[in-house]
Amino acid sequence: MSGYRLSTGGRIDRSRTLSFTFDGASYQGFAGDTLASALVASGVTVFGRSFKYHRPRGLLATGVEEPNALVMVDRGAVRGMGRMTPNLRAPQVALYEGLTTKSQNRWPSLKFDMIAINDRLGAFFPAGFYNKTFMWPRSAWEKLYEPVIRHLAGLGESPVTRDPDHYDATYAHCEVLVIGAGIAGIEAALAAATGDARVILIDEQDELGGGALSDAAQWPALNALNAQLAASTVTVLNRTTAFGFFHQNFVGAVQHLTDHLAPSAVKGPREKLWRIRAGEVVLAQGAIERPLVFNGNDVPGVMLASAARTLALRYGVAVGRAIVVMAAHDSGWHDALAMAAVGVPVSAIIDIRNDVAPDLVAAARAAGIAVHPGCAVTSVKGRLAVKGITFAAAGTGPAQSITCDAVLMAGGWTPSVHLWSHAKGALVWNDAWGAYLPGQPAANYRAVGAGAGEWSFGSGVITSVLPNAKPVSAQKAFVDYQNDVKARDIQLAVQEGMRSIEHIKRYTTNGMATDQGKTSNLNGLQIASSALHRPVTEIGLTTFRPPYTPQTFGALMGHHKDALFQAVRKSPIDDWARDQGAVFENVANWRRARYFPRGVENMDAAVLRECAAVRNSVGMFDASTLGKIEVVGPDAAEFLNRMYTNPWKALQPGRCRYGLLLREDGFIVDDGVSARLADDRFHLTTTTGGAARVLGMMEDYLQTEWSDLDVWLTSTTEQWAVIALQGPRARDVIAPLVSGIDLSAEAFPHMAIREGTIAGVPTRLFRVSFTGELGFEINVPAHEGRKVWDAIHAAGQPFDIVPYGTEAMHVLRAEKGFIIVGQDTDGTMTPYDMGLDWAVGKKKPDFVGKRSLARPEMSRPGRKQFIGLLTQDPQDLLEEGAQIVTDPNAPIPVPMIGHVTSSYHSAALGRTIALAVIADGRARIGQTIHVPMPGKVIRAKVTEPMFYDAEGSRLNG
């Protein structure tokens, strides 16, 4: 292919010259060009390399179906962050001044690619070779096979710096959404825009018009339609791709806002995600021309006839100086005549059919084009560019040669039914098209234009592989250009026993490239049909899945990046903790103080000091992040009785209870201490990370299983600030601040709740402890949280009160053997596994998970059980997650009996402690187990999980 710019014609602006680079070389084009059209006009033939064999590949198409011309675009660094985007299709990259691009999948250069040795060794890499090859020797997988495969895998280079661009997102609703702005789509939008109807028209190109943009005869009609469109109420979104069609007429689309502009001219977001809900969706996506499968059909310069026509009539570019058309369809003749009319030299038209419409033959001869009906191209000369072809009558007759620099294929048309399939619309095989057409829709949507089979491209024949004297096994006849799938690969898949097109697809990777088989699926079906001697409809059809074309992660994320990716929630005490130099950690979505270092203290020293303060005097802890749910209604107690494992109906107002929540499968999902405020009102607490999950679970049961219960659930997590005051002097600290509550142990026992005021603020005061010490959890309105915290901190100064963080809280609860759901449990633990039998109501008729607990599996020998571990060396600290074995010298693989769930230094015990779950753990108490760690194996004794104050004598201070 030796393309060049025609002296006239096209829709480009020849008055504006634009400079750009490709692989470091400088080129020029015009405003309105794409990267592809400008490169072809500059004589570039090779755009990329194929994935598997690294064969040189040229431009095949001028739309989203392009499989070969994938490039990287460099939009320059911003604030030290690169803006490299890989795998963009050159026909869709708009030209702008200073555009910098490079080719992909080659080393060291596009014209000389060392990895093209794969092509020479292609006989050793047939379809499915990777399923059979890398099996032996076994040791070579990690050392040789995997590293090499990973190095060669992928297309393009993944960006390694942060994306400096920002992205927009919005929702839209309309009565009618039209996807595709060819003539059929514009007419559908105008017809729908009556009265107050909201109509949205989207199209992926920068100009509306679709295929009509490549047909000068239709430009006057197109201009008239565009004028009507401008005067209408239709919302037009150009440069917008509908990538997914979901249930209830919900469509996802991405609008490219600034990629067509020079970086210096960019203002605002790069892309915008549209989430559109429509009353009716009209699909006007057109059809894609089908390549022909023949020997040498991937040499750069072999391309679709419709693409060459688009380059000539829309961009004023001739793809060659001696062009041959290989046709199996009338559209190839029309394209050849249209190009010849604007001065593109077409030397010959070869058609596999013996009988072609006489008017087409006459028109071609009148244009000086040689005609060869009943013939087929049998080979293409050249490697980096087409230099000529051989063809023969019926493909098997005496060979004839033609010197040429471009070969255009016209194999028929494939309606674009991807979005129709996304929406579960039925597809019906059409013999005339040799393709699947939209059938019965699953909702209120329809197809129009070529996508519905309503546009006549003429007639043609459907072929699998063009006839050739060579057997298919000896030809390089490609079906999937990007993944290097040849016709013989599909035949091999059939030979290997594949019968369904889904299996053939996975065996060969046909249709699994970034173009999702837009140019290869139907040809693959035809070849498989011929090999199996069965009709196409019996082989099946591959499943089309979103996205229709690849989209950036940035567009899908929208504003949800950096701090907005996952909003950080802060408690009312967060500012105080920050001012005190707290070190924070993220727990679920919350930012929590992990520890409060003094001076040069590291974490270990700070945590030991904080723990000692709680055990010896008093400490205060911000527990505001605990999930909180208000359960109100006459049936509140009955509802909780059904949800939790233990009984709740007999709980008296003013008392608290530990609640254990299971999933339906009987495994622990959450826990917390909750209080009964009145006969019809409960204040529930959940784990910090479980609040939303528990509320959703409860609402699900309330609305679907027990809708007869009169209960309301309200999330109050952010309405209450919670201050946990723990330690033997806790009562002394708050006594001067509390009004209306008798704090004595007799009047206010453990696991009770009272309402009164503290520091003049209304409070729900819980007498509970997660440390084993005398403890209170002070619930006050969130907006008063800082005030009360400051008052308690001031009142605690005579007692050397210390704020402590989550790390100390973990140590203190571990000393008492209290579990943390999600750390000591892993989604497969039952109450019995965790030693919480006492929390399961034996007399309750039912609760969530009760039936699952009765399964034999839940009580079988060998289940992991919650225990404690004391290392032989008191200073050895086990790693959380470390595996536990009985015999470290056992042959590999060493049987693992469990793992460490929590491990800490204990200030109270002067040594390390750990919690774990191991098989038959309670039966192993007193035994020695082994924990392999980096550099050594640590011996530990299995103990009860409670290490401190087993009698509970410290709860009253």
Side-chain angles (χ1 to χ4, degrees):
M1 183 171 72
S2 51
Y4 62 95
R5 183 76 68 176
L6 296 171
S7 59
T8 60
R11 301 175 68 88
I12 54 175
D13 183 356
R14 296 174 185 260
S15 67
R16 293 175 56 203
T17 302
L18 302 175
S19 299
F20 68 99
T21 65
F22 178 65
D23 279 346
S26 297
Y27 299 93
Q28 287 189 330
F30 295 116
D33 262 326
T34 65
L35 175 64
S37 65
L39 286 175
V40 172
S42 299
V44 174
T45 58
V46 182
F47 282 70
R49 292 276 176 166
S50 62
F51 174 65
K52 183 175 174 183
Y53 298 129
H54 282 245
R55 287 175 64 83
R57 290 285 159 78
L59 190 70
L60 179 76
T62 53
V64 297
E65 69 273 21
E66 170 56 41
N68 296 333
L70 301 182
V71 299
M72 292 189 70
V73 173
D74 183 358
R75 292 181 61 82
V78 176
R79 298 184 300 278
M81 295 178 280
R83 303 172 75 191
M84 295 286 291
T85 306
N87 292 322
L88 295 179
R89 293 166 295 282
Q92 292 196 301
V93 176
L95 207 64
Y96 57 77
E97 180 64 32
L99 173 66
T100 302
T101 63
K102 68 176 184 177
S103 57
Q104 302 183 159
N105 206 42
R106 80 290 187 277
W107 183 82
S109 69
L110 187 57
K111 289 191 175 181
F112 180 72
D113 184 1
M114 292 288 290
I115 310 175
I117 188 66
N118 286 1
D119 190 27
R120 305 296 184 189
L121 303 175
F124 299 101
F125 304 131
F129 80 96
Y130 32 77
N131 296 320
K132 304 175 181 179
T133 305
F134 305 113
M135 308 293 289
W136 182 91
R138 192 183 183 106
S139 59
W141 173 253
E142 292 185 359
K143 298 178 180 179
L144 176 62
Y145 300 147
E146 185 180 24
V148 171
I149 291 172
R150 286 191 179 278
H151 179 72
L152 296 178
L155 290 169
E157 301 170 17
S158 179
V160 295
T161 58
R162 294 173 63 83
D163 184 355
D165 293 312
H166 64 281
Y167 301 81
D168 201 358
T170 190
Y171 289 90
H173 298 80
C174 60
E175 276 67 48
V176 179
L177 170 65
V178 182
I179 301 174
I183 286 181
I186 296 174
E187 289 177 340
L190 290 171
T194 57
D196 296 328
R198 296 167 296 178
V199 180
I200 298 176
L201 173 64
I202 67 178
D203 191 84
E204 63 195 2
Q205 298 195 71
D206 55 348
E207 270 191 286
L208 304 187
L213 295 172
S214 302
D215 187 352
Q218 297 191 63
W219 290 355
L222 180 59
N223 292 338
L225 287 172
N226 279 325
Q228 294 180 50
L229 203 58
S232 73
T233 58
V234 176
T235 299
V236 178
L237 303 176
N238 62 341
R239 300 188 183 91
T240 304
T241 299
F243 63 82
F245 189 177
F246 307 97
H247 65 287
Q248 297 181 340
N249 279 5
F250 182 78
V251 173
V254 171
Q255 184 178 20
H256 301 274
L257 300 174
T258 60
D259 279 355
H260 62 291
L261 302 174
S264 59
V266 170
K267 294 181 180 179
R270 177 185 180 187
E271 296 175 341
K272 186 174 186 177
L273 175 65
W274 288 81
R275 289 162 286 201
I276 306 170
R277 183 80 70 180
E280 180 187 29
V281 177
V282 179
L283 299 176
Q285 294 180 278
I288 295 170
E289 188 165 30
R290 201 177 310 165
L292 289 167
V293 182
F294 56 87
N295 189 28
N297 66 339
D298 73 322
V299 175
V302 180
M303 64 190 306
L304 296 174
S306 59
R309 174 177 179 149
T310 296
L311 288 169
L313 276 72
R314 183 174 178 184
Y315 298 106
V317 176
V319 299
R321 299 180 185 277
I323 298 170
V324 170
V325 177
M326 178 63 238
H329 198 276
D330 290 348
S331 64
W333 293 72
H334 291 295
D335 292 338
L337 293 169
M339 287 185 286
V342 296
V344 177
V346 180
S347 301
I349 300 176
I350 302 170
D351 200 307
I352 189 63
R353 300 170 295 173
N354 289 306
D355 298 318
V356 180
D359 58 324
L360 291 176
V361 174
R365 286 176 174 158
I369 302 172
V371 174
H372 302 280
C375 296
V377 173
T378 57
S379 68
V380 179
K381 300 174 184 177
R383 180 166 178 80
L384 298 179
V386 172
K387 295 183 178 180
I389 63 160
T390 59
F391 69 100
T396 57
Q400 303 179 62
S401 297
I402 298 178
T403 299
C404 60
D405 58 2
V407 179
L408 310 184
M409 300 177 287
W413 295 82
T414 303
S416 185
V417 295
H418 296 70
L419 294 184
W420 184 275
S421 298
H422 292 179
K424 303 299 182 183
L427 294 173
V428 180
W429 179 258
N430 184 285
D431 286 324
W433 278 72
Y436 283 95
L437 298 182
Q440 182 67 31
N444 189 24
Y445 55 87
R446 59 191 173 92
V448 298
E454 296 172 353
W455 181 24
S456 175
F457 292 85
S459 61
V461 295
I462 305 303
T463 64
S464 54
V465 183
L466 291 188
N468 196 308
K470 283 186 177 181
V472 170
S473 60
Q475 298 181 44
K476 291 193 174 181
F478 286 86
V479 181
D480 188 308
Y481 288 86
Q482 194 175 117
N483 276 355
D484 279 322
V485 179
K486 300 184 287 292
R488 69 189 187 201
D489 293 323
I490 294 176
Q491 291 186 345
L492 177 61
V494 171
Q495 182 180 329
E496 292 275 1
M498 310 298 163
R499 296 295 179 264
S500 164
I501 195 62
E502 292 285 8
H503 293 156
I504 294 170
K505 170 183 176 178
R506 283 153 181 81
Y507 189 83
T508 63
T509 70
N510 186 60
M512 294 175 66
T514 58
D515 66 331
Q516 288 201 12
K518 292 179 177 63
T519 58
S520 62
N521 277 340
L522 265 294
N523 282 334
L525 273 174
Q526 292 289 352
I527 296 168
S529 172
S530 298
L532 290 166
H533 306 291
R534 292 164 54 196
V536 167
T537 52
E538 292 184 11
I539 301 172
L541 178 65
T542 56
T543 303
F544 298 112
R545 296 182 176 89
Y548 170 65
T549 55
Q551 304 299 325
T552 64
F553 285 113
L556 300 181
M557 293 285 292
H559 298 295
H560 304 290
K561 60 181 289 190
D562 298 327
L564 296 178
F565 173 68
Q566 192 175 59
V568 177
R569 303 170 74 181
K570 299 179 181 179
S571 80
I573 318 301
D574 184 86
D575 288 348
W576 187 93
R578 181 201 61 207
D579 294 342
Q580 297 299 311
V583 175
F584 291 95
E585 67 172 340
N586 291 329
V587 180
N589 290 342
W590 290 93
R591 185 171 89 154
R592 304 191 71 180
R594 190 176 186 186
Y595 60 97
F596 293 84
R598 290 181 180 175
V600 296
E601 281 183 333
N602 61 16
M603 184 179 77
D604 291 339
V607 170
L608 288 173
R609 174 179 51 78
E610 292 169 11
C611 290
V614 173
R615 294 290 182 216
N616 297 324
S617 182
V618 65
M620 59 191 304
F621 174 71
D622 180 10
S624 303
T625 63
L626 287 174
K628 293 170 279 290
I629 303 171
E630 198 88 351
V631 182
V632 181
D635 297 322
E638 174 63 25
F639 174 72
L640 295 180
N641 205 54
R642 297 181 187 182
M643 290 299 305
Y644 286 101
T645 60
N646 44 356
W648 288 79
K649 291 164 64 172
L651 185 68
Q652 295 299 309
R655 298 294 294 180
C656 302
R657 179 155 291 168
Y658 173 77
L660 192 62
L661 189 65
L662 310 182
R663 299 194 305 252
E664 288 183 351
D665 55 13
F667 297 128
I668 297 171
V669 68
D670 205 87
D671 70 345
V673 173
S674 302
R676 190 168 194 172
L677 304 172
D679 288 340
D680 62 349
R681 184 180 294 270
F682 289 80
H683 178 124
L684 265 60
T685 66
T686 73
T687 57
T688 293
R693 179 176 64 247
V694 172
L695 180 63
M697 178 180 176
M698 288 184 169
E699 281 285 8
D700 183 42
Y701 275 96
L702 184 60
Q703 295 182 32
T704 63
E705 301 294 331
W706 308 320
S707 57
D708 57 310
L709 296 183
D710 195 359
V711 179
W712 294 269
L713 305 176
T714 304
S715 173
T716 58
T717 298
E718 294 184 332
Q719 275 60 53
W720 295 100
V722 182
I723 304 164
L725 192 66
Q726 304 283 309
R729 305 307 298 270
R731 188 183 287 113
D732 298 328
V733 172
I734 62 170
L737 303 176
V738 172
S739 300
I741 302 174
D742 184 348
L743 296 177
S744 67
E746 296 75 21
F748 194 5
H750 182 59
M751 296 297 282
I753 182 174
R754 300 289 184 264
E755 295 187 82
T757 64
I758 183 168
V761 175
T763 181
R764 290 178 179 177
L765 187 60
F766 285 64
R767 171 81 193 280
V768 295
S769 175
F770 198 44
T771 65
E773 302 293 335
L774 170 65
F776 298 90
E777 287 188 2
I778 304 155
N779 290 256
V780 295
H783 67 279
E784 301 278 15
R786 176 65 184 273
K787 172 185 174 181
V788 175
W789 178 276
D790 288 341
I792 294 173
H793 188 255
Q797 293 308 305
F799 308 99
D800 296 322
I801 193 169
V802 169
Y804 66 96
T806 55
E807 197 67 24
M809 177 269 290
H810 281 258
V811 177
L812 295 166
R813 65 90 197 174
E815 291 172 343
K816 290 292 294 180
F818 298 152
I819 72 167
I820 291 183
V821 173
Q823 177 166 332
D824 297 304
T825 67
D826 63 359
T828 66
M829 309 304 292
T830 71
Y832 310 132
D833 298 334
M834 301 305 295
L836 297 174
D837 313 44
W838 56 269
V840 179
K842 307 300 187 294
K843 297 180 181 180
K844 290 181 65 173
D846 200 9
F847 55 81
V848 175
K850 179 179 175 65
R851 283 175 292 177
S852 294
L853 289 179
R855 292 186 296 139
E857 166 64 22
M858 298 304 210
S859 57
R860 64 164 173 80
R863 285 192 62 85
K864 292 180 180 179
Q865 296 173 336
F866 187 57
I867 49 86
L869 293 176
L870 292 175
T871 56
Q872 189 175 58
D873 181 343
Q875 300 310 310
D876 276 342
L877 182 67
L878 300 175
E879 284 188 6
E880 293 180 353
Q883 294 296 308
I884 299 170
V885 302
T886 56
D887 180 6
N889 298 315
I892 296 174
V894 180
M896 308 292 179
I897 62 170
H899 67 278
V900 178
T901 62
S902 302
S903 181
Y904 312 100
H905 284 285
S906 168
L909 300 175
R911 60 158 300 138
T912 61
I913 59 173
L915 300 172
V917 289
I918 64 174
D920 295 321
R922 284 189 283 277
R924 297 179 187 268
I925 290 177
Q927 297 180 12
T928 297
I929 53 83
H930 302 82
V931 182
M933 297 272 286
K936 64 177 179 178
V937 175
I938 297 177
R939 292 165 57 89
K941 181 180 179 181
V942 180
T943 70
E944 293 286 352
M946 188 178 294
F947 303 100
Y948 183 77
D949 188 28
E951 301 78 17
S953 60
R954 300 181 62 87
L955 280 173
N956 289 315

